[in-house]
Amino acid sequence: MHPRLSPPSLRLLLLPLLLLAGAAHTIGALPRLCDVLQVLREERDQCLQELSEERTRDLSMVQPASGCEGLWDNMSCWPSAEPGQTVEVECPRFLWMLTGRNGSMFRNCTQGGWSEIFPRPDLACGVNVNDSANDTNEKRHEYLLKLKVMYTVGYSSSLVMLLVALSILCSFRRLHCTRNYIHMHLFVSFILRALSNFIKDAVLFSDDGVHCETHRGGCKLVMVFFQYCIMANYAWLLAEGLYLHTLLAVAFFSERKCLQGCVALGWGSPAIFVALWTITRHFLEDVGCWDINANASVWWVIRGPVILSILINFILFINILRILLRKLRTQETRGNEVNHYKRLAKSTLLLIPLFGAHYIIFAFSPEDAMEIQLFFELALGSYQGLVVAVLYCFLNGEVQLEVQKKWRQWHLREVPLRPVALSNSFSVGTSSLTHSTKASPLEPSRGKCRASVI
Protein backbone atom coordinates (compact mmCIF):
# COMPACT_ATOMS: atom_id res chain seq x y z
CA MET A 1 0.00 0.00 0.00
CA HIS A 2 1.57 3.26 -1.11
CA PRO A 3 -0.56 6.15 0.10
CA ARG A 4 0.13 9.45 -1.54
CA LEU A 5 -0.99 12.90 -0.63
CA SER A 6 -4.11 13.36 -2.73
CA PRO A 7 -4.17 16.23 -5.25
CA PRO A 8 -6.92 18.13 -3.37
CA SER A 9 -4.95 17.88 -0.12
CA LEU A 10 -1.74 18.99 -1.79
CA ARG A 11 -3.54 21.85 -3.49
CA LEU A 12 -5.08 22.90 -0.16
CA LEU A 13 -1.64 23.06 1.40
CA LEU A 14 0.19 24.75 -1.46
CA LEU A 15 -2.45 27.29 -2.48
CA PRO A 16 -1.95 29.76 0.39
CA LEU A 17 1.80 29.28 0.25
CA LEU A 18 2.05 29.98 -3.46
CA LEU A 19 -0.39 32.86 -3.12
CA LEU A 20 1.79 34.32 -0.38
CA ALA A 21 4.88 33.79 -2.48
CA GLY A 22 3.28 35.57 -5.43
CA ALA A 23 2.06 38.42 -3.24
CA ALA A 24 5.45 38.92 -1.66
CA HIS A 25 7.14 38.71 -5.03
CA THR A 26 7.33 42.47 -5.42
CA ILE A 27 8.32 43.10 -1.82
CA GLY A 28 11.25 40.73 -1.82
CA ALA A 29 10.29 39.14 1.51
CA LEU A 30 9.82 35.60 0.18
CA PRO A 31 11.37 33.49 -2.58
CA ARG A 32 9.81 33.59 -6.02
CA LEU A 33 7.40 30.85 -7.00
CA CYS A 34 9.85 29.81 -9.69
CA ASP A 35 12.56 29.19 -7.07
CA VAL A 36 10.15 27.28 -4.82
CA LEU A 37 9.14 24.97 -7.67
CA GLN A 38 12.78 24.54 -8.63
CA VAL A 39 13.66 23.34 -5.11
CA LEU A 40 10.65 21.01 -5.12
CA ARG A 41 11.80 19.45 -8.40
CA GLU A 42 15.35 19.05 -7.09
CA GLU A 43 14.09 17.24 -3.98
CA ARG A 44 11.88 15.00 -6.12
CA ASP A 45 14.74 14.05 -8.46
CA GLN A 46 17.08 13.34 -5.54
CA CYS A 47 14.43 11.20 -3.81
CA LEU A 48 13.65 9.16 -6.92
CA GLN A 49 17.35 8.54 -7.46
CA GLU A 50 17.83 7.34 -3.87
CA LEU A 51 14.76 5.11 -4.06
CA SER A 52 15.98 3.63 -7.35
CA GLU A 53 19.36 2.77 -5.79
CA GLU A 54 17.57 1.26 -2.77
CA ARG A 55 15.41 -0.98 -4.99
CA THR A 56 18.51 -2.09 -6.91
CA ARG A 57 20.15 -3.20 -3.65
CA ASP A 58 16.97 -5.05 -2.60
CA LEU A 59 16.86 -6.97 -5.89
CA SER A 60 20.43 -8.11 -5.41
CA MET A 61 19.53 -9.66 -2.02
CA VAL A 62 18.59 -13.37 -1.85
CA GLN A 63 15.54 -12.69 0.33
CA PRO A 64 14.01 -9.21 -0.24
CA ALA A 65 13.12 -7.31 2.92
CA SER A 66 9.43 -7.13 3.77
CA GLY A 67 7.72 -3.97 4.94
CA CYS A 68 6.91 -0.57 3.45
CA GLU A 69 8.66 0.50 0.27
CA GLY A 70 10.14 3.95 0.02
CA LEU A 71 8.06 6.56 -1.79
CA TRP A 72 7.87 10.18 -2.92
CA ASP A 73 4.51 11.67 -1.90
CA ASN A 74 4.87 14.93 -3.90
CA MET A 75 6.30 16.69 -0.84
CA SER A 76 8.72 14.48 1.11
CA CYS A 77 10.90 11.46 0.57
CA TRP A 78 10.12 8.43 2.78
CA PRO A 79 12.72 5.65 2.95
CA SER A 80 11.69 2.01 3.20
CA ALA A 81 10.89 0.72 6.69
CA GLU A 82 10.17 -2.49 8.63
CA PRO A 83 6.64 -3.19 9.91
CA GLY A 84 6.07 -1.46 13.25
CA GLN A 85 8.77 1.14 12.57
CA THR A 86 8.06 4.88 12.83
CA VAL A 87 9.89 7.00 10.25
CA GLU A 88 10.72 10.67 10.86
CA VAL A 89 11.58 13.14 8.10
CA GLU A 90 12.19 16.89 8.19
CA CYS A 91 9.77 19.35 6.69
CA PRO A 92 10.25 19.84 2.95
CA ARG A 93 12.86 22.44 2.08
CA PHE A 94 10.44 24.43 -0.08
CA LEU A 95 8.14 24.85 2.94
CA TRP A 96 11.07 26.03 5.02
CA MET A 97 11.86 28.61 2.30
CA LEU A 98 8.33 30.00 2.59
CA THR A 99 7.76 29.86 6.34
CA GLY A 100 11.27 30.08 7.79
CA ARG A 101 10.36 27.31 10.27
CA ASN A 102 11.58 23.75 10.46
CA GLY A 103 9.92 20.72 11.94
CA SER A 104 9.42 16.98 11.63
CA MET A 105 6.73 14.73 10.19
CA PHE A 106 6.13 11.04 11.02
CA ARG A 107 4.65 7.93 9.44
CA ASN A 108 4.13 4.43 10.81
CA CYS A 109 4.91 1.35 8.78
CA THR A 110 2.10 -1.13 9.41
CA GLN A 111 1.22 -4.55 8.00
CA GLY A 112 -1.14 -2.78 5.59
CA GLY A 113 1.45 -0.23 4.46
CA TRP A 114 2.19 3.35 5.33
CA SER A 115 -0.08 5.28 7.70
CA GLU A 116 -1.16 8.87 7.18
CA ILE A 117 1.32 11.65 8.01
CA PHE A 118 1.20 12.94 11.59
CA PRO A 119 1.08 15.67 12.58
CA ARG A 120 -0.39 17.25 9.48
CA PRO A 121 2.25 19.00 7.29
CA ASP A 122 0.66 22.40 7.84
CA LEU A 123 0.86 21.99 11.63
CA ALA A 124 4.31 20.42 11.68
CA CYS A 125 5.88 23.00 9.37
CA GLY A 126 4.15 26.16 10.59
CA VAL A 127 1.84 26.71 7.62
CA ASN A 128 -1.44 28.52 8.18
CA VAL A 129 -4.21 27.18 5.95
CA ASN A 130 -7.18 28.47 7.94
CA ASP A 131 -9.73 30.83 6.46
CA SER A 132 -8.44 33.94 8.22
CA ALA A 133 -4.91 33.41 6.91
CA ASN A 134 -6.24 32.80 3.40
CA ASP A 135 -8.35 35.96 3.60
CA THR A 136 -5.32 37.97 4.72
CA ASN A 137 -3.16 36.60 1.92
CA GLU A 138 -5.88 37.21 -0.66
CA LYS A 139 -6.33 40.82 0.48
CA ARG A 140 -2.58 41.33 0.38
CA HIS A 141 -2.40 39.80 -3.07
CA GLU A 142 -5.23 42.04 -4.32
CA TYR A 143 -3.49 45.10 -2.88
CA LEU A 144 -0.22 44.24 -4.63
CA LEU A 145 -2.04 43.62 -7.91
CA LYS A 146 -3.70 47.05 -7.65
CA LEU A 147 -0.31 48.53 -6.83
CA LYS A 148 1.14 46.89 -9.93
CA VAL A 149 -1.59 48.43 -12.07
CA MET A 150 -0.93 51.86 -10.53
CA TYR A 151 2.80 51.85 -11.12
CA THR A 152 2.36 50.39 -14.62
CA VAL A 153 0.09 53.30 -15.51
CA GLY A 154 2.52 55.71 -13.82
CA TYR A 155 5.58 54.44 -15.66
CA SER A 156 3.66 54.35 -18.96
CA SER A 157 2.47 57.97 -18.67
CA SER A 158 5.94 59.07 -17.51
CA LEU A 159 7.53 57.27 -20.45
CA VAL A 160 5.29 59.02 -22.99
CA MET A 161 5.79 62.49 -21.47
CA LEU A 162 9.55 61.99 -21.14
CA LEU A 163 9.87 60.93 -24.78
CA VAL A 164 7.94 64.03 -25.90
CA ALA A 165 10.00 66.30 -23.63
CA LEU A 166 13.28 64.76 -24.83
CA SER A 167 12.22 65.20 -28.46
CA ILE A 168 11.43 68.87 -27.85
CA LEU A 169 14.77 69.61 -26.18
CA CYS A 170 16.65 67.79 -28.93
CA SER A 171 14.75 69.49 -31.77
CA PHE A 172 15.46 73.15 -30.95
CA ARG A 173 19.10 74.19 -31.30
CA ARG A 174 18.53 77.30 -29.17
CA LEU A 175 17.77 74.98 -26.25
CA HIS A 176 21.11 73.17 -26.55
CA CYS A 177 23.08 74.27 -23.49
CA THR A 178 24.71 72.62 -20.47
CA ARG A 179 21.65 72.99 -18.28
CA ASN A 180 19.33 71.36 -20.83
CA TYR A 181 21.92 68.70 -21.69
CA ILE A 182 21.79 67.63 -18.05
CA HIS A 183 17.99 67.69 -18.22
CA MET A 184 18.10 65.45 -21.29
CA HIS A 185 20.38 62.95 -19.55
CA LEU A 186 17.98 62.95 -16.60
CA PHE A 187 15.07 62.27 -18.97
CA VAL A 188 16.98 59.35 -20.51
CA SER A 189 17.65 57.90 -17.04
CA PHE A 190 13.93 58.05 -16.21
CA ILE A 191 13.10 56.44 -19.57
CA LEU A 192 15.55 53.61 -18.90
CA ARG A 193 14.13 53.20 -15.40
CA ALA A 194 10.60 52.79 -16.79
CA LEU A 195 11.71 50.39 -19.53
CA SER A 196 13.78 48.29 -17.12
CA ASN A 197 10.79 48.03 -14.81
CA PHE A 198 8.59 46.75 -17.65
CA ILE A 199 11.27 44.23 -18.69
CA LYS A 200 11.74 43.08 -15.09
CA ASP A 201 8.00 42.52 -14.60
CA ALA A 202 7.74 40.64 -17.89
CA VAL A 203 10.54 38.29 -16.82
CA LEU A 204 9.75 37.84 -13.13
CA PHE A 205 6.01 37.35 -13.55
CA SER A 206 6.44 34.61 -16.16
CA ASP A 207 6.65 31.73 -13.69
CA ASP A 208 6.41 28.91 -16.17
CA GLY A 209 8.57 25.83 -16.14
CA VAL A 210 10.50 26.84 -19.25
CA HIS A 211 11.55 30.09 -17.62
CA CYS A 212 12.64 28.35 -14.43
CA GLU A 213 14.77 25.83 -16.27
CA THR A 214 16.40 27.66 -19.15
CA HIS A 215 16.33 31.43 -18.61
CA ARG A 216 17.88 31.84 -15.17
CA GLY A 217 21.05 33.49 -16.59
CA GLY A 218 19.03 35.94 -18.65
CA CYS A 219 16.86 36.68 -15.63
CA LYS A 220 19.95 37.67 -13.64
CA LEU A 221 21.11 39.94 -16.47
CA VAL A 222 17.71 41.64 -16.42
CA MET A 223 18.08 42.30 -12.68
CA VAL A 224 21.60 43.68 -13.20
CA PHE A 225 20.26 46.03 -15.89
CA PHE A 226 17.36 47.03 -13.63
CA GLN A 227 19.68 47.88 -10.72
CA TYR A 228 21.92 49.91 -13.04
CA CYS A 229 18.97 51.95 -14.33
CA ILE A 230 17.79 52.68 -10.78
CA MET A 231 21.24 53.80 -9.66
CA ALA A 232 21.78 55.87 -12.83
CA ASN A 233 18.48 57.63 -12.22
CA TYR A 234 19.47 58.64 -8.68
CA ALA A 235 22.94 59.61 -9.90
CA TRP A 236 21.48 62.01 -12.46
CA LEU A 237 19.16 63.45 -9.83
CA LEU A 238 22.33 64.17 -7.83
CA ALA A 239 23.95 65.70 -10.93
CA GLU A 240 20.96 68.05 -11.27
CA GLY A 241 21.36 69.15 -7.66
CA LEU A 242 25.12 69.64 -8.03
CA TYR A 243 24.72 71.74 -11.17
CA LEU A 244 22.02 73.94 -9.66
CA HIS A 245 24.15 74.44 -6.55
CA THR A 246 27.20 75.27 -8.70
CA LEU A 247 25.25 77.92 -10.62
CA LEU A 248 24.38 79.70 -7.38
CA ALA A 249 27.52 79.16 -5.34
CA VAL A 250 30.37 79.38 -7.91
CA ALA A 251 31.00 82.59 -9.84
CA PHE A 252 33.04 81.13 -12.72
CA PHE A 253 33.46 77.54 -13.85
CA SER A 254 33.93 75.55 -17.05
CA GLU A 255 30.58 74.31 -18.27
CA ARG A 256 32.26 71.77 -20.53
CA LYS A 257 34.15 70.18 -17.62
CA CYS A 258 31.01 70.40 -15.49
CA LEU A 259 29.02 68.45 -18.09
CA GLN A 260 31.80 65.89 -18.45
CA GLY A 261 31.83 65.42 -14.66
CA CYS A 262 28.06 64.99 -14.61
CA VAL A 263 28.24 62.35 -17.36
CA ALA A 264 30.92 60.46 -15.44
CA LEU A 265 28.85 60.69 -12.26
CA GLY A 266 25.52 59.83 -13.89
CA TRP A 267 26.54 56.90 -16.09
CA GLY A 268 29.98 55.85 -14.80
CA SER A 269 29.55 55.60 -11.03
CA PRO A 270 26.44 53.35 -11.20
CA ALA A 271 28.37 50.93 -13.43
CA ILE A 272 31.06 50.59 -10.75
CA PHE A 273 28.64 49.87 -7.92
CA VAL A 274 26.46 47.53 -9.99
CA ALA A 275 29.55 45.59 -11.11
CA LEU A 276 30.62 45.30 -7.46
CA TRP A 277 27.11 44.17 -6.50
CA THR A 278 27.10 41.57 -9.30
CA ILE A 279 30.41 40.09 -8.12
CA THR A 280 29.39 39.96 -4.45
CA ARG A 281 25.99 38.57 -5.34
CA HIS A 282 27.55 35.84 -7.48
CA PHE A 283 29.91 34.68 -4.74
CA LEU A 284 27.88 35.36 -1.59
CA GLU A 285 24.19 35.08 -2.58
CA ASP A 286 23.82 33.34 -5.92
CA VAL A 287 20.20 32.37 -5.26
CA GLY A 288 17.32 32.42 -7.71
CA CYS A 289 16.98 35.35 -10.07
CA TRP A 290 18.73 37.86 -7.77
CA ASP A 291 15.44 39.66 -7.19
CA ILE A 292 15.26 38.70 -3.48
CA ASN A 293 17.69 40.57 -1.25
CA ALA A 294 17.97 38.34 1.81
CA ASN A 295 21.63 39.17 2.54
CA ALA A 296 21.61 42.73 3.92
CA SER A 297 25.35 43.23 3.50
CA VAL A 298 25.16 42.46 -0.22
CA TRP A 299 22.07 44.64 -0.69
CA TRP A 300 23.80 47.64 0.91
CA VAL A 301 26.24 47.71 -2.02
CA ILE A 302 23.29 49.12 -3.99
CA ARG A 303 21.28 50.70 -1.21
CA GLY A 304 24.17 52.58 0.42
CA PRO A 305 25.20 54.72 -2.59
CA VAL A 306 21.54 55.52 -3.35
CA ILE A 307 20.89 56.74 0.19
CA LEU A 308 24.17 58.68 0.17
CA SER A 309 23.25 60.44 -3.10
CA ILE A 310 19.83 61.40 -1.72
CA LEU A 311 21.40 62.74 1.48
CA ILE A 312 23.89 64.84 -0.51
CA ASN A 313 21.06 66.15 -2.70
CA PHE A 314 19.02 67.04 0.37
CA ILE A 315 21.96 68.99 1.85
CA LEU A 316 22.53 70.74 -1.50
CA PHE A 317 18.89 71.81 -1.74
CA ILE A 318 18.89 73.13 1.82
CA ASN A 319 22.00 75.16 1.00
CA ILE A 320 20.37 76.37 -2.25
CA LEU A 321 17.39 77.63 -0.25
CA ARG A 322 19.77 79.36 2.16
CA ILE A 323 21.53 81.12 -0.73
CA LEU A 324 18.23 82.16 -2.30
CA LEU A 325 16.88 83.54 0.98
CA ARG A 326 20.10 85.47 1.49
CA LYS A 327 19.78 86.96 -1.99
CA LEU A 328 16.14 87.91 -1.28
CA ARG A 329 17.21 89.83 1.82
CA THR A 330 19.92 91.72 -0.07
CA GLN A 331 18.93 95.33 -0.71
CA GLU A 332 20.70 95.33 -4.09
CA THR A 333 18.24 92.75 -5.46
CA ARG A 334 15.87 94.39 -7.92
CA GLY A 335 12.13 93.75 -8.11
CA ASN A 336 12.21 91.36 -11.07
CA GLU A 337 15.08 89.47 -9.46
CA VAL A 338 13.06 89.08 -6.23
CA ASN A 339 10.21 87.44 -8.13
CA HIS A 340 12.69 85.21 -9.95
CA TYR A 341 14.34 84.06 -6.71
CA LYS A 342 10.96 83.43 -5.09
CA ARG A 343 9.92 81.19 -7.98
CA LEU A 344 13.24 79.38 -7.80
CA ALA A 345 12.85 78.88 -4.04
CA LYS A 346 9.37 77.38 -4.53
CA SER A 347 10.70 75.09 -7.26
CA THR A 348 13.54 73.97 -4.99
CA LEU A 349 11.09 73.12 -2.21
CA LEU A 350 9.17 70.98 -4.70
CA LEU A 351 12.33 69.25 -5.90
CA ILE A 352 13.35 68.09 -2.40
CA PRO A 353 10.60 65.42 -2.10
CA LEU A 354 10.66 64.82 -5.86
CA PHE A 355 14.34 63.83 -5.80
CA GLY A 356 13.81 60.91 -3.42
CA ALA A 357 13.74 62.22 0.14
CA HIS A 358 11.05 59.63 0.93
CA TYR A 359 13.59 56.88 0.17
CA ILE A 360 15.58 57.83 3.30
CA ILE A 361 12.43 57.91 5.44
CA PHE A 362 11.55 54.32 4.51
CA ALA A 363 15.12 52.98 4.32
CA PHE A 364 15.03 52.00 7.99
CA SER A 365 11.28 51.47 8.34
CA PRO A 366 9.91 48.40 10.13
CA GLU A 367 8.34 45.49 8.27
CA ASP A 368 4.79 46.50 9.22
CA ALA A 369 5.21 49.71 7.21
CA MET A 370 6.07 47.78 4.05
CA GLU A 371 2.76 48.44 2.30
CA ILE A 372 3.07 52.20 2.86
CA GLN A 373 6.66 52.10 1.63
CA LEU A 374 5.62 50.23 -1.50
CA PHE A 375 2.90 52.78 -2.19
CA PHE A 376 5.36 55.68 -2.07
CA GLU A 377 8.20 53.94 -3.90
CA LEU A 378 6.16 52.23 -6.62
CA ALA A 379 2.80 53.96 -7.04
CA LEU A 380 3.87 57.57 -6.46
CA GLY A 381 7.49 57.07 -7.55
CA SER A 382 6.36 55.87 -10.96
CA TYR A 383 4.96 59.36 -11.70
CA GLN A 384 8.27 61.01 -10.80
CA GLY A 385 9.41 61.09 -14.43
CA LEU A 386 6.15 62.71 -15.52
CA VAL A 387 6.57 65.52 -12.96
CA VAL A 388 10.20 66.06 -13.99
CA ALA A 389 9.19 66.30 -17.67
CA VAL A 390 6.49 68.84 -16.86
CA LEU A 391 8.76 70.99 -14.65
CA TYR A 392 11.89 70.93 -16.79
CA CYS A 393 10.27 71.06 -20.22
CA PHE A 394 6.58 71.89 -20.53
CA LEU A 395 6.61 74.63 -17.86
CA ASN A 396 10.03 75.92 -18.92
CA GLY A 397 9.72 79.51 -20.21
CA GLU A 398 12.48 79.09 -22.81
CA VAL A 399 10.87 75.95 -24.18
CA GLN A 400 7.48 77.64 -24.41
CA LEU A 401 8.99 80.60 -26.27
CA GLU A 402 10.75 78.37 -28.79
CA VAL A 403 7.60 76.31 -29.39
CA GLN A 404 5.56 79.51 -29.86
CA LYS A 405 8.10 80.85 -32.33
CA LYS A 406 8.06 77.63 -34.31
CA TRP A 407 4.26 77.59 -34.28
CA ARG A 408 4.19 81.16 -35.61
CA GLN A 409 6.59 80.23 -38.39
CA TRP A 410 4.40 77.30 -39.43
CA HIS A 411 1.31 79.47 -39.20
CA LEU A 412 2.86 82.16 -41.44
CA ARG A 413 3.78 79.57 -44.06
CA GLU A 414 0.23 78.23 -44.13
CA VAL A 415 -1.48 81.66 -44.14
CA PRO A 416 0.63 84.04 -46.30
CA LEU A 417 -1.68 87.04 -45.84
CA ARG A 418 -0.30 90.60 -45.58
CA PRO A 419 3.26 89.35 -45.85
CA VAL A 420 4.99 92.70 -45.29
CA ALA A 421 3.15 93.62 -42.11
CA LEU A 422 3.34 90.12 -40.69
CA SER A 423 7.02 89.83 -41.52
CA ASN A 424 7.84 93.08 -39.77
CA SER A 425 5.79 92.27 -36.70
CA PHE A 426 7.23 88.75 -36.54
CA SER A 427 10.81 90.01 -36.73
CA VAL A 428 10.16 92.47 -33.92
CA GLY A 429 8.48 89.78 -31.84
CA THR A 430 11.26 87.27 -32.31
CA SER A 431 13.94 89.82 -31.50
CA SER A 432 12.19 90.66 -28.25
CA LEU A 433 11.79 86.96 -27.42
CA THR A 434 15.43 86.29 -28.15
CA HIS A 435 16.44 89.21 -25.99
CA SER A 436 14.30 87.94 -23.14
CA THR A 437 16.02 84.54 -23.17
CA LYS A 438 19.61 85.72 -23.44
CA ALA A 439 20.25 86.25 -19.75
CA SER A 440 18.71 85.79 -16.37
CA PRO A 441 19.51 87.19 -12.92
CA LEU A 442 20.62 83.75 -11.88
CA GLU A 443 23.08 83.22 -14.73
CA PRO A 444 24.41 86.54 -16.02
CA SER A 445 27.00 84.86 -18.22
CA ARG A 446 25.48 81.41 -18.67
CA GLY A 447 21.77 82.10 -19.07
CA LYS A 448 21.78 81.92 -22.86
CA CYS A 449 21.34 78.43 -24.24
CA ARG A 450 24.00 78.00 -26.89
CA ALA A 451 25.33 75.08 -28.85
CA SER A 452 27.82 73.08 -26.84
CA VAL A 453 30.99 71.56 -28.19
CA ILE A 454 30.25 68.36 -26.26
Side-chain angles (χ1 to χ4, degrees):
M1 181 176 180
H2 296 166
R4 293 174 178 265
L5 199 62
S6 62
S9 301
L10 181 63
R11 196 179 302 115
L12 178 65
L13 176 64
L14 292 181
L15 179 60
L17 292 174
L18 301 183
L19 180 64
L20 185 60
H25 166 78
T26 309
I27 301 176
L30 293 174
R32 293 174 58 243
L33 176 59
C34 181
D35 298 328
V36 173
L37 296 177
Q38 177 70 19
V39 170
L40 187 60
R41 279 193 293 269
E42 291 174 357
E43 290 191 332
R44 179 200 61 191
D45 295 341
Q46 181 180 357
C47 177
L48 295 179
Q49 181 180 357
E50 293 175 355
L51 294 179
S52 176
E53 295 174 355
E54 188 177 90
R55 293 190 182 96
T56 302
R57 288 195 302 268
D58 291 342
L59 291 175
S60 63
M61 297 175 61
V62 178
Q63 183 176 0
S66 61
C68 302
E69 293 185 2
L71 77 142
W72 165 256
D73 64 357
N74 297 328
M75 286 180 53
S76 300
C77 189
W78 298 91
S80 59
E82 297 289 338
Q85 184 179 357
T86 299
V87 179
E88 176 185 1
V89 296
E90 292 185 348
C91 287
R93 192 157 60 104
F94 78 95
L95 288 182
W96 176 83
M97 291 173 61
L98 293 170
T99 64
R101 293 179 55 185
N102 206 348
S104 297
M105 300 180 297
F106 302 88
R107 271 188 174 183
N108 292 325
C109 179
T110 66
Q111 293 295 335
W114 287 107
S115 68
E116 293 294 332
I117 300 174
F118 65 94
R120 290 201 328 252
D122 57 315
L123 299 177
C125 305
V127 180
N128 290 322
V129 293
N130 53 54
D131 294 337
S132 60
N134 287 337
D135 292 341
T136 302
N137 292 335
E138 289 178 2
K139 290 180 181 178
R140 190 184 187 191
H141 188 59
E142 290 177 0
Y143 171 76
L144 292 175
L145 288 178
K146 292 178 182 178
L147 199 64
K148 184 177 183 294
V149 172
M150 291 179 64
Y151 75 71
T152 300
V153 173
Y155 278 123
S156 301
S157 56
S158 295
L159 183 62
V160 172
M161 298 295 283
L162 287 165
L163 289 172
V164 174
L166 183 63
S167 302
I168 292 175
L169 292 184
C170 292
S171 300
F172 296 96
R173 291 184 58 84
R174 287 182 177 272
L175 299 177
H176 291 184
C177 61
T178 302
R179 181 180 68 255
N180 286 338
Y181 283 146
I182 295 177
H183 292 345
M184 285 189 277
H185 281 284
L186 180 63
F187 292 169
V188 173
S189 71
F190 272 109
I191 291 172
L192 289 177
R193 179 172 181 173
L195 291 176
S196 66
N197 190 81
F198 293 144
I199 296 173
K200 173 183 69 72
D201 283 355
V203 171
L204 295 185
F205 282 101
S206 60
D207 286 314
D208 55 318
V210 176
H211 164 70
C212 292
E213 294 290 343
T214 62
H215 296 290
R216 190 172 296 272
C219 181
K220 293 177 181 178
L221 290 177
V222 167
M223 291 307 302
V224 171
F225 176 67
F226 174 74
Q227 298 293 353
Y228 174 78
C229 293
I230 295 295
M231 290 202 70
N233 184 233
Y234 281 106
W236 275 106
L237 289 172
L238 176 60
E240 284 280 355
L242 286 171
Y243 183 74
L244 181 58
H245 185 269
T246 303
L247 286 176
L248 289 170
V250 181
F252 300 100
F253 66 93
S254 171
E255 293 205 0
R256 175 172 180 169
K257 292 182 179 179
C258 180
L259 181 58
Q260 290 175 341
C262 289
V263 171
L265 173 66
W267 300 119
S269 60
I272 296 174
F273 289 107
V274 171
L276 181 61
W277 175 77
T278 303
I279 295 172
T280 55
R281 186 75 197 240
H282 176 73
F283 288 103
L284 299 180
E285 195 186 1
D286 190 12
V287 179
C289 190
W290 293 4
D291 58 319
I292 307 299
N293 302 293
N295 191 331
S297 59
V298 175
W299 177 228
W300 273 98
V301 177
I302 295 288
R303 197 179 196 183
V306 170
I307 293 178
L308 180 62
S309 68
I310 296 173
L311 281 173
I312 295 175
N313 238 353
F314 183 77
I315 296 172
L316 290 175
F317 284 136
I318 295 300
N319 195 44
I320 290 171
L321 286 176
R322 183 185 62 82
I323 295 174
L324 292 174
L325 293 176
R326 186 183 63 191
K327 290 181 178 291
L328 288 173
R329 295 193 190 100
T330 303
Q331 295 181 354
E332 298 177 356
T333 305
R334 296 186 296 272
N336 58 341
E337 292 180 347
V338 171
N339 294 330
H340 180 79
Y341 288 133
K342 285 183 177 179
R343 289 196 303 270
L344 191 56
K346 293 179 181 178
S347 300
T348 305
L349 287 174
L350 178 62
L351 291 177
I352 290 176
L354 181 63
F355 278 16
H358 66 279
Y359 191 95
I360 301 177
I361 298 175
F362 293 108
F364 308 97
S365 61
E367 289 294 328
D368 54 3
M370 183 65 70
E371 292 186 355
I372 302 176
Q373 177 183 356
L374 287 175
F375 178 77
F376 275 91
E377 289 189 2
L378 295 179
L380 296 184
S382 61
Y383 292 91
Q384 197 174 6
L386 185 148
V387 177
V388 167
V390 171
L391 286 178
Y392 283 160
C393 181
F394 300 111
L395 295 182
N396 188 306
E398 293 178 348
V399 174
Q400 292 176 352
L401 289 174
E402 289 299 321
V403 172
Q404 290 174 6
K405 287 166 59 178
K406 181 62 69 174
W407 172 255
R408 289 175 182 174
Q409 290 177 2
W410 289 340
H411 185 68
L412 288 176
R413 290 173 185 173
E414 293 178 359
V415 188
L417 299 177
R418 299 169 59 188
V420 177
L422 287 174
S423 177
N424 292 336
S425 62
F426 179 71
S427 62
V428 174
T430 54
S431 63
S432 62
L433 294 177
T434 305
H435 176 73
S436 65
T437 59
K438 281 186 177 180
S440 68
L442 181 62
E443 306 171 78
S445 61
R446 302 185 285 272
K448 180 182 177 182
C449 275
R450 49 185 171 77
S452 175
V453 294
I454 301 177

